[in-house]
Amino acid sequence: MRNTSQSFTQLPGSVIASPKGKVRRIIGIDPGLANTGFGIVDFENGRYRMVSYGCITTKSELSHSERLLTIYSKLQAVIQEFRPDQSCMEALFFVKNVTSGISVAEAKGVVTLCLAQNAIPVDEYKPNQIKKAVTGSANADKDLVERYVQLLLNLKEKPNPDHASDALACAICHIHTTLNP
């Protein structure tokens, strides 16, 4: 059901979105240096359809620049395969570890560049906005968000890994915020 960073397959019944069509294809992204989650959701006639999700993982033994290039290259492949017409990303939110925050910010910059080069508009949402849009509570824990993502997208199991689940939740938030009248 899910896709990994090595292989991306469109699920049967999903529709490639056109900018002027009624089907909207959104890619949600949970940026990170070690793991960048992505989730692609179609929205049509008030209904969601999960198209694909996965996680771009970089190896810690690679140089920092090689890790950023890996994120860029693999995200570019996802975009070329699924052709989303909108995107959204979880806004950076960190309090304690500034060093890891800087790495996440750099990964976010690479993701933003990749989206811009593909002319895909991007919106950002704070973690509590995403939680509230998906579950109705800005204080929902990770497990509850995963269960709601599973329910809203009619999945047989919770999306895994959690970075992909977060990306799908972000896409749902975007739909609630911008597309769902």
Side-chain angles (χ1 to χ4, degrees):
M1 173 171 275
R2 75 179 172 96
N3 292 310
T4 66
S5 60
Q6 300 301 315
S7 169
F8 310 103
T9 305
Q10 186 171 337
L11 297 176
S14 63
V15 178
I16 299 293
S18 69
K20 297 179 182 169
K22 292 186 179 181
V23 176
R24 306 306 290 172
R25 178 158 288 175
I26 293 89
I27 183 170
I29 300 171
D30 179 27
L33 183 63
N35 296 290
T36 293
F38 68 89
I40 301 164
V41 177
D42 282 350
F43 183 70
E44 178 181 23
N45 298 325
R47 295 185 175 227
Y48 309 98
R49 181 176 37 236
M50 191 279 298
V51 177
S52 182
Y53 64 87
C55 192
I56 299 167
T57 302
T58 65
K59 298 178 180 178
S60 60
E61 59 268 7
L62 293 175
S63 72
H64 189 72
S65 58
E66 288 172 315
R67 293 175 86 180
L68 293 172
L69 181 60
T70 298
I71 293 166
Y72 177 86
S73 300
K74 290 187 177 185
L75 182 58
Q76 183 69 18
V78 170
I79 289 169
Q80 291 307 306
E81 181 166 352
F82 295 106
R83 307 239 181 248
D85 51 9
Q86 294 181 24
S87 68
C88 53
M89 199 175 343
E90 188 171 320
L92 290 181
F93 184 78
F94 55 91
V95 179
K96 295 181 182 178
N97 191 339
V98 174
T99 303
S100 66
I102 291 170
S103 294
V104 172
E106 290 174 333
K108 182 178 174 241
V110 166
V111 167
T112 303
L113 173 64
C114 188
L115 294 167
Q117 286 182 327
N118 286 280
I120 302 170
V122 62
D123 289 308
E124 289 188 31
Y125 300 98
K126 296 175 184 172
N128 62 348
Q129 286 177 286
I130 295 169
K131 291 175 186 180
K132 184 166 175 83
V134 173
T135 69
S137 170
N139 297 319
D141 66 17
K142 196 172 260 317
D143 184 61
L144 185 62
V145 173
E146 289 172 355
R147 286 190 284 149
Y148 267 86
V149 167
Q150 178 185 0
L151 178 70
L152 290 168
L153 296 176
N154 197 28
L155 303 175
K156 292 181 181 178
E157 55 191 36
K158 290 191 286 188
N160 200 351
D162 61 350
H163 301 288
S165 181
D166 291 347
L168 288 167
C170 190
I172 292 168
C173 175
H174 182 72
I175 290 166
H176 281 234
T177 305
T178 62
L179 302 178
N180 201 3

